């Protein structure tokens, strides 16, 4: 085999073009072979089909058809978030324009650990992070791999700003990555405040803040993963201010509401946080990863400063070369900002807001279908785009069985959530192309699978 072509450089585009045709054909072929939201047959059958398709993973001699073979196998065995019946998780179908931009990021391969590896990407990132932070009333933001890394950075910045030993106070509804970050950073065990109806109880928070020694970091949630509920942010911000506690808001899910004129108001109070987690691979329709941590005081990023002579020598920095190493805990770092920037500019705030409005409207319509159906119980009206429901009179085992039955047959991907001590089916609507009649089909499918 001759030396394989490269993606960048003068020959890059010509080398890529036929390969892209291969990829697009394979995506179509794999998707057609799957014929639904998920491959049928469960984990063992999928693993066997993948093993059969791949054959020898590292053959002695290369296989020129590997691209077609592997992309087809991956597509055939994928859970496709663009299928209206794939609605379990905060797993969005990415916008075509964002995915196309991501191809350019892969081809150019800038690495954001030093300016000389990413001159324009560094400049673009500085512009876009500031704009996004200001959109939610904060000052600047760092790019992360998602909510998990953002939450961890938020705890780290709180620890450093408080001189160490900050204690996390979070709701029982908080994302698991928050207590995990406290563990990772060697902080004291978090104080968990009850969240009786799925949102943090302010009276219980008041109690905790009255009795606990400082320094404290309160973490509230704008869009819980299980139910898409928003904690009472203004009240929580007021309590934090009164008690001298720092406030972090995990808006990994709900942050996207900021693009919508209709729904933005639900985020009131976000601008009073010290830090906010955003995740544009949820309500932002980006291919993963597209996380951000926005902060009110960018000077706090100084805690992340790191010196490595080959990346940010003092004399280079003094000569005006941006020091990028302190903008992440990672070293080599992809320009995830490109797909985000392309999306923001292509759709504009109104275009993104319209997508948000559509998925929220679909959720309300699905909730109405559930409520009107005597065979189902609705948990509550959706705040964002998550609907929890269960067959009337079903046991938790029935609920779990319905979900796994649909997964096994590859007919629908529904989530599950435990609330009020009971197991619920969860539908997270992130596909702006989903039609109301497709939601009716989904409910019928669940009805047909429910034991009686
Ligand atoms: C999804 C989610 C996270 C984790 O984000 P990742 O991007 O998966 O790391 C954190 N918090 C909330 C509320 C989430 O919904």
């Amino acid at each position: 085999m001759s030396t394989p072509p490269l993606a960048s450089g003068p020959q890059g585009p010509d080398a890529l073009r036929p390969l892209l045709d291969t990829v697009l054909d394979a995506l179509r072929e794999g998707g057609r072979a799957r014929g639904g939201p998920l491959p049928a047959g469960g984990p063992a059958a999928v693993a066997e089909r993948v093993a059969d398709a791949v054959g020898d993973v590292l053959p002695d001699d290369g296989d020129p058809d590997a691209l077609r073979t592997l992309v087809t196998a991956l597509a055939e065995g994928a859970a496709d978030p663009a299928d209206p019946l794939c609605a379990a998780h905060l797993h969005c179908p990415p916008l075509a324009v964002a995915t196309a931009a991501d191809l350019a990021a892969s081809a150019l391969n800038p690495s954001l650990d030093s300016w000389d590896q990413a001159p324009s990407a560094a400049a673009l990132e500085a512009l876009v992070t500031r704009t996004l932070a200001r959109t939610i009333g904060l000052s600047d933001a760092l790019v992360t791999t998602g909510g998990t890394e953002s939450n961890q950075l938020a705890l780290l910045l709180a620890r450093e700003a408080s001189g160490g030993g900050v204690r996390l106070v979070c709701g029982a509804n908080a994302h698991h990555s928050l207590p995990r970050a406290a563990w990772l950073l060697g902080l004291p065990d978090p104080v968990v405040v009850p969240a009786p109806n799925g949102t943090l109880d302010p009276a219980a928070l008041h109690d905790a803040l009255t009795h606990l020694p400082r320094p404290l970091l309160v973490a509230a949630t704008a869009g819980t993963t299980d139910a898409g509920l928003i904690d009472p942010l203004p009240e929580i911000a007021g309590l934090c201010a009164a008690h001298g506690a720092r406030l972090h808001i995990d808006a990994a899910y709900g942050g996207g509401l900021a693009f919508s004129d209709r729904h933005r108001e639900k985020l009131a109070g976000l601008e009073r946080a010290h830090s906010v987690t955003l995740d544009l691979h949820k309500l932002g329709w980006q291919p993963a990863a597209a996380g951000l941590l926005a902060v009110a005081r960018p000077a706090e990023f100084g805690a992340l400063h790191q010196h490595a002579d080959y990346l940010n020598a003092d004399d280079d920095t003094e000569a005006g070369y941006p020091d990028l190493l302190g903008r992440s805990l990672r070293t080599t770092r992809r320009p995830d900002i490109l797909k985000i920037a392309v999306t923001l500019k292509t759709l504009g705030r109104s275009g993104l807001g319209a997508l948000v409005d559509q998925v929220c409207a679909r959720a309300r319509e699905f909730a109405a279908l559930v409520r009107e159906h005597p065979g189902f119980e609705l948990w509550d009206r959706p705040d964002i785009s998550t609907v929890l429901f269960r067959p009337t009179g079903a046991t938790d085992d029935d609920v779990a069985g319905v979900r796994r039955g649909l997964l096994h047959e590859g007919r629908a991907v529904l989530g599950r959530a435990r609330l009020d001590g009971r197991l619920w089916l969860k539908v997270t609507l992130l596909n702006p192309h989903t039609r109301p009649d497709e939601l009716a089909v989904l409910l019928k499918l669940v009805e047909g699978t429910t034991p009686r």
Side-chain angles (χ1 to χ4, degrees), residues 90 145-149 151 173-178 221-225 250-253 277 279 281-282 291:
L90 287 161
T145 51
T148 301
E149 187 187 343
N151 285 341
N173 61 348
H175 192 261
H176 65 83
S177 59
L178 281 158
T221 309
T224 59
T225 314
D250 179 354
Y253 181 8
T277 287
D279 217 344
H281 57 238
K282 292 179 174 174

Side-chain angles (χ1 to χ4, degrees), residues 111-114 310-311 325 328-334:
S111 179
L112 284 148
D113 45 334
S114 65
Y310 76 108
L311 295 172
L325 203 50
S328 180
L329 291 176
R330 289 176 280 156
T331 305
T332 299
R333 189 157 67 79
R334 275 173 66 80

Side-chain angles (χ1 to χ4, degrees), residues 19-111:
L19 296 175
L20 288 183
D21 278 340
T22 302
V23 166
L24 298 178
D25 289 346
L27 286 175
R28 192 187 303 277
E29 192 181 316
R32 198 183 286 135
R34 184 184 63 242
L38 194 80
V46 172
E48 194 179 317
R49 286 201 294 272
V50 169
D52 283 350
V54 175
D56 192 349
V57 170
L58 181 60
D60 284 337
D61 298 307
D63 172 1
D65 279 336
L67 181 64
R68 179 183 301 279
T69 308
L70 295 192
V71 173
T72 305
L74 201 75
E76 183 176 350
D80 183 3
D83 188 298
L85 301 187
C86 185
H89 299 283
L90 287 161
H91 175 207
C92 73
L95 293 168
V97 76
T99 302
D102 221 16
L103 173 70
S106 284
L108 292 167
N109 207 25
S111 179

Side-chain angles (χ1 to χ4, degrees), residues 127-141:
L127 278 175
V128 176
T129 50
R130 274 201 299 272
T131 301
L132 277 171
R134 285 173 190 161
T135 303
I136 57 161
L138 275 72
S139 295
D140 199 1

